[in-house]
Amino acid sequence: MLFYSKVSLPLIKEFRTSFGTEKNRNALIFIMREGEIEAYGEAVTEEDPLYGYEDNYSVMYVVRKYLVDIIKSTKDPEKFMEKAERIKGHLMAKAAIEMMLWDYVAKEEEKPLHKFIGYSKGEADVGISIGMSSIEDMLNSVRSAVSSGYKRIKVKIEKGYDLEILKAIRENFPHINLSVDANQAYSRDDFKIIEEMDTFNLAYIEQPLQLDDLNGHAFIRKRIQTPLCLDESITTVRTLSNAIELGAVDIINIKPGRVGGIGPSINLMEDAKENDIGVWIGGMLETGIGRSFNISLASQKYVNMPGDTSPNSRYFKKDITNEMFQMVDGKIKPYENSGIGVSLDYRFVKMSEMEGGKLID
Ligand code: OSB
Ligand code: MG
């Protein structure tokens, strides 16, 4: 049996990026029951297609129209992806199901997902991604993140909220491991601003230009010292290989929910390692379900930089999982129970026609 539920979880603090302000995490959760096993998936999409072209409605459309039939024919995540290949794109929809199947097969084998994947270090280095707000508020957030032990602090920027905020942060915290994420807010014409960013000793600049502008990223990368990190641009191993050939990338932010799931993420990590590209695991404000997949992946040996996998309590007063991750000395350990190791708090699961329902009997 397969069903889905749409949950709307209020964020403790709204999250402002160059593409919009999120007050809630509107998550699509998938739940598959087979015998004794209950497996989960989460789509990283939101109500609107602002980060990428997919949203919660396109995910439901693709799941209903195409993916449900494939799940009926196989529960193996690799075979599922092979069969889903003929449906172009829609990697966030495919990822939600692919990851659910990884949880399922890991639970069948009675192994925790991080070990089932095969390269686990048993823990993940944790960084934080801080949304835009007033300078004073941002400095307070940075201060509190530093004292919580985060290993890297990333701040969201956009045109007009960049050099001034960096100057303020560096005046107060000259030595922290600091990066910025523009979520595609600049164009090649803004090169002068990006050149200025080069003076703040940043660990990297994340996705300054539009996602399809690999040439623009190569143009920038040739002219600055700061490493360039790509997030939205990296969808497949082909785009990574194009970016490498063009000289457009030093580091990639892998989000399993963006690239089609765990299998595609592992392929990206292997290619990145072969080409000396830095790797970290990003996040999309996931609930405890998506978070657990991200942390399992962030614990793999291929990951060599701290990722955006804060503990649940940074986002939500009460998450939809019964178990909450804890950060100790800037590290989080994945759960050792089978699969993703966390279970759904059923008080959050809605089954009304608009907000959830059965997809397979
Ligand atoms: O670009 O990494 C991003 C959140 C939503 C959409 C895109 C991004 C983000 C974050 C937050 O940076 C990461 C997190 O804490 O989950
Ligand atoms: Mg990003």
Side-chain angles (χ1 to χ4, degrees):
M1 189 172 94
L2 175 71
F3 51 107
Y4 78 101
S5 176
K6 195 166 144 186
V7 299
S8 186
L9 265 189
L11 289 162
I12 290 172
K13 189 175 181 192
E14 64 176 33
F15 192 75
R16 184 157 78 86
T17 65
S18 63
F19 61 81
T21 302
E22 315 227 25
K23 294 191 168 67
N24 294 287
R25 168 76 186 119
N26 299 296
L28 279 177
I29 304 296
F30 295 91
I31 306 156
M32 188 173 79
R33 286 200 197 126
E34 290 286 321
E36 297 286 288
I37 297 176
E38 180 164 286
Y40 309 110
E42 174 173 351
V44 293
T45 44
E46 262 292 333
E47 291 293 281
D48 302 304
L50 305 179
Y51 162 86
Y53 69 85
E54 295 179 79
D55 62 29
N56 286 344
Y57 305 91
S58 71
V59 167
M60 283 315 302
Y61 171 75
V62 169
V63 169
R64 280 206 165 97
K65 184 157 186 200
Y66 303 105
L67 306 185
V68 156
D69 276 343
I70 304 178
I71 304 164
K72 284 182 189 162
S73 72
T74 181
K75 306 275 183 287
D76 177 88
E78 269 169 44
K79 292 205 180 88
F80 167 81
M81 283 308 265
E82 271 165 34
K83 293 190 172 190
E85 185 84 33
R86 104 192 150 80
I87 306 305
K88 300 287 185 280
H90 294 285
L91 296 175
M92 292 179 180
K94 291 173 185 171
I97 303 302
E98 197 256 18
M99 289 156 81
M100 178 187 77
L101 296 179
W102 272 87
D103 184 33
Y104 177 72
V105 290
K107 282 171 174 164
E108 260 192 323
E109 298 285 319
E110 297 181 4
K111 284 202 176 124
L113 180 62
H114 73 101
K115 289 198 176 130
F116 186 69
I117 291 173
Y119 312 96
S120 184
K121 296 183 291 193
E123 59 184 14
D125 287 333
V126 185
I128 190 171
S129 170
I130 305 178
M132 294 185 278
S133 58
S134 69
I135 293 191
E136 195 192 334
D137 193 53
M138 175 59 89
L139 290 176
N140 286 334
S141 300
V142 172
R143 186 166 300 113
S144 118
V146 170
S147 67
S148 307
Y150 281 102
K151 291 184 180 285
R152 182 272 279 136
I153 307 232
K154 150 176 148 186
V155 298
K156 293 289 189 180
I157 55 165
E158 67 183 3
K159 251 172 117 166
Y161 186 91
D162 39 32
L163 302 177
E164 202 186 341
I165 194 72
L166 283 176
K167 190 160 171 283
I169 296 173
R170 272 303 183 217
E171 272 168 18
N172 288 275
F173 309 96
H175 304 301
I176 58 169
N177 184 2
L178 181 66
S179 69
V180 293
D181 186 0
N183 288 109
Q184 317 179 53
Y186 299 85
S187 74
R188 219 195 276 203
D189 298 339
D190 301 314
F191 177 63
K192 284 271 168 298
I193 308 173
I194 294 167
E195 205 174 23
E196 287 287 317
M197 287 182 207
D198 209 16
T199 62
F200 291 101
N201 188 26
L202 300 173
Y204 49 86
I205 298 174
E206 182 174 341
Q207 198 69 45
L209 310 183
Q210 290 286 304
L211 68 93
D212 56 0
D213 193 4
L214 290 181
N215 287 311
H217 284 102
F219 173 92
I220 288 177
R221 183 171 169 273
K222 281 195 194 80
R223 288 166 177 80
I224 61 173
Q225 298 297 311
T226 309
L228 209 55
C229 173
L230 294 180
D231 173 350
E232 289 94 314
S233 287
I234 303 300
T235 49
T236 65
V237 287
R238 272 93 51 199
T239 55
L240 174 59
S241 137
N242 291 342
I244 292 169
E245 259 182 66
L246 285 169
V249 64
D250 298 288
I251 297 165
I252 55 173
N253 166 351
I254 300 180
K255 296 172 180 169
R258 182 193 78 234
V259 302
I262 301 288
S265 297
I266 297 167
N267 295 338
L268 281 166
M269 286 173 175
E270 288 174 343
D271 289 3
K273 186 179 168 55
E274 237 165 69
N275 291 281
D276 266 330
I277 301 293
V279 171
W280 55 276
I281 304 302
M284 301 273 285
L285 314 175
E286 285 91 342
T287 75
I289 301 287
R291 188 161 307 285
S292 191
F293 286 99
N294 292 350
I295 289 168
S296 298
L297 207 50
S299 303
Q300 304 300 309
K301 69 161 196 223
Y302 289 118
V303 176
N304 53 18
M305 303 176 82
D308 287 342
T309 53
S310 295
N312 319 60
S313 59
R314 162 166 134 75
Y315 309 87
F316 314 113
K317 216 146 110 196
K318 173 72 186 83
D319 207 326
I320 65 170
T321 48
N322 295 310
E323 303 78 5
M324 304 281 214
F325 289 99
Q326 305 296 327
M327 182 171 78
V328 180
D329 297 330
K331 290 172 185 289
I332 290 184
K333 285 192 193 324
Y335 282 95
E336 296 299 331
N337 308 332
S338 290
I340 58 171
V342 300
S343 58
L344 199 53
D345 179 344
Y346 267 87
R347 286 174 296 177
F348 288 90
V349 177
K350 297 177 207 131
M351 285 308 209
S352 69
E353 204 162 304
M354 293 302 291
E355 295 178 313
K358 218 180 251 186
L359 295 165
I360 302 178
D361 266 331

